[in-house]
Structures are given as C-alpha cells and as structure tokens.
Amino acid sequence: VYNNTLIMDINSNNMSTAEHEAFLKEAIEKNQDVRWKVVTFHHSVYSVASHAVESDILQRREQLTPVFDKLGIDVVLMGHDHVYVRSHIMKDQKISQNTDGLTSITDPDGILYVTANSASGSKFYNIKSDIDTSYAAKQDQSKLKSISNIEVSENEFKVTTYNYDAE
C-alpha cells in the first residue's frame, strides 16, 4: 500500500488465473480502506504491437480482465510489447467509455490499461496496422525513451508519460 493505493503485482508468466484471483482477493480483503486498486504485470493484455495477437496474450485477456472487472480494479500497468498504449476505459472486454480527446476522467465505469514503452531505449516494437486496436485511446512509438510518473490523491489517480532523450 502506498498512501491510499493498493498496488498488486502478479507474475504473468504463471498462467493460473485461479492463483492470481486468490492473491488479488486476499490483498483486497486485507486492505479495504484504500481508494485505488492497481494491478501490475509484465505481459500487456491490450497492446498494439507484435505480441498483441499471440495466443497466450489473448488467453490472459480472456481470463484476467473479467477478474479485474469483478474485483473493481481501477488501473492495470503492463509492459512486454515496448510500445506506449493507453486504453479507453474497458469493461467486459469492451470500451465502456471512449476517452478520445479527454485529458481526465471522473469515476469511470471500468478499467484503464496502460502499456509502457521503453525507459532504457534498448528495445522498441512497431505498432501493427493489420490488427484491431480499437481499445487503444492513445498509442505511440516515437522510438524515444519514456517514463511514466504516477501521482495519487484521494480524488485523483494521475499517470503522466514523458518522452526523453537523456544520455
């Protein structure tokens, strides 16, 4: 727990949804007074790059996202595909709130999914143009290093992502 935020990290190499759900439930039950519930893991379930259509990624999306919906998760932070993606607000594997053009959202009915790009700049994947990425509100592959800063307060969970070229 950080301030009023429960941050739960799962090992997405483990494909046991039952184990992940049990862990998340236990953590939430032990921390019922938090305002925000965040899950982090490596493999992106809403990516726009090369791994997005692989069977194990689709399986994770099919099995994990309903668990996140059921448990009232607010934000999911992921990586693996080395391309920046911010989803629309998702629920039941569908867009529950289109966030095109929005810079903030108040009390959404669903989950925000964010896939990090590359902080080190050691690897960048290209955005695939031949797959359905309608879940992506923002996608970027400018081949620049990027980092995301997260700020939390009682009424705000803010993710700001910066491109940088520090040597």
Side-chain angles (χ1 to χ4, degrees):
V1 173
Y2 174 77
N3 289 341
N4 57 359
T5 305
L6 174 61
I7 302 167
M8 301 166 283
D9 182 37
I10 60 174
N11 176 3
S12 60
N13 287 312
N14 176 350
M15 296 294 286
S16 174
T17 302
E19 287 180 37
H20 296 315
E21 183 172 6
F23 164 74
L24 297 171
K25 278 183 175 178
E26 180 181 348
I28 291 167
E29 287 172 9
K30 289 181 179 178
N31 298 282
Q32 294 182 21
D33 294 333
V34 298
R35 170 65 172 98
W36 307 104
K37 292 179 276 194
V38 178
V39 175
T40 68
F41 55 94
H42 181 77
H43 297 86
S44 176
V45 295
Y46 286 113
S47 176
V48 298
S50 60
H51 295 298
V53 293
E54 292 176 354
S55 62
D56 64 314
I57 298 298
L58 297 174
Q59 179 181 347
R60 286 181 187 92
R61 182 186 309 162
E62 196 70 29
Q63 294 178 357
L64 288 173
T65 61
V67 171
F68 301 154
D69 289 336
K70 180 170 64 173
L71 297 177
I73 302 303
D74 298 296
V75 178
V76 176
L77 304 173
M78 308 161 293
H80 190 57
D81 245 352
H82 300 273
V83 63
Y84 176 81
V85 180
R86 176 179 47 82
S87 74
H88 294 288
I89 301 301
M90 303 297 293
K91 186 174 182 180
D92 299 326
Q93 298 177 21
K94 296 182 179 109
I95 298 170
S96 69
Q97 184 175 352
N98 186 305
T99 60
D100 283 337
L102 298 179
T103 57
S104 68
I105 303 158
T106 302
D107 294 326
D109 182 24
I111 302 170
L112 175 67
Y113 292 84
V114 179
T115 303
N117 189 13
S118 178
S120 69
S122 62
K123 186 184 288 188
F124 298 109
Y125 292 173
N126 293 319
I127 294 172
K128 291 184 68 63
S129 60
D130 60 342
I131 62 173
D132 177 14
T133 60
S134 58
Y135 44 76
K138 174 72 175 167
Q139 50 188 314
D140 179 68
Q141 185 48 279
S142 53
K143 304 221 183 256
L144 295 171
K145 301 172 196 172
S146 64
I147 57 170
S148 294
N149 181 59
I150 298 174
E151 299 174 64
V152 295
S153 68
E154 186 56 37
N155 297 313
E156 184 176 55
F157 187 101
K158 183 177 179 180
V159 180
T160 307
T161 301
Y162 302 94
N163 288 334
Y164 71 98
D165 190 18
E167 294 298 323

